[in-house]
Amino acid sequence: MGVGMQIACRGFAGAAAIEAEAGAQLVRLERFRALIDGCHLAIESRGAADGARTFDVRLDLVMHDAALRPLPPCVGDDVDDALRRAFAQAEQALIAWQAGDERMALRDAATGETAR
């Protein structure tokens, strides 16, 4: 059984293309299924007064004990870029957890240092 994902879109109806990109990015986390059961992905669209849109992408990892490990949000004007950064950040945190350095992974996730 693979890593599952729940997606919530706020401030917009969502789109098949966004779900497809999220699914493609989820593949990056499959190798960590010994550590996680799944993830919760929240994508929020915010409009500015000038009509521009910003996307706030948040990813919480669901551990085997059902604990949620929230990662810092990735914000940007391009939803696909923000999604890629969020999953890259999760991948880096999981690599650190897999290496047994959970404190470093949590610290880096909290400060956003893994979101390069």
Side-chain angles (χ1 to χ4, degrees):
M1 193 162 127
V3 174
M5 178 171 54
Q6 292 180 348
I7 303 173
C9 296
R10 296 183 181 107
F12 69 113
I18 292 172
E19 288 187 25
E21 180 63 29
Q25 293 300 316
L26 180 64
V27 171
R28 298 170 79 158
L29 305 185
E30 277 295 320
R31 66 184 172 140
F32 301 104
R33 65 181 171 271
L35 296 174
I36 62 173
D37 282 333
C39 61
H40 296 167
L41 175 65
I43 306 168
E44 184 174 354
S45 175
R46 297 182 185 152
D50 64 359
R53 297 205 87 45
T54 301
F55 294 93
D56 182 330
V57 177
R58 291 178 303 274
L59 191 62
D60 295 336
L61 300 176
V62 181
M63 309 311 280
H64 288 309
D65 63 0
L68 289 179
R69 300 287 172 103
L71 298 171
C74 292
V75 179
D77 298 336
D78 181 326
V79 68
D80 289 337
D81 178 61
L83 276 170
R84 284 188 289 274
R85 288 187 287 119
F87 278 92
Q89 174 176 262
E91 187 176 26
Q92 291 301 311
L94 286 164
I95 288 169
W97 282 323
Q98 194 172 45
D101 198 350
E102 184 171 347
R103 286 181 305 176
M104 184 180 83
L106 290 173
R107 181 204 69 218
D108 289 351
T111 61
E113 289 180 28
T114 60
R116 292 185 184 119

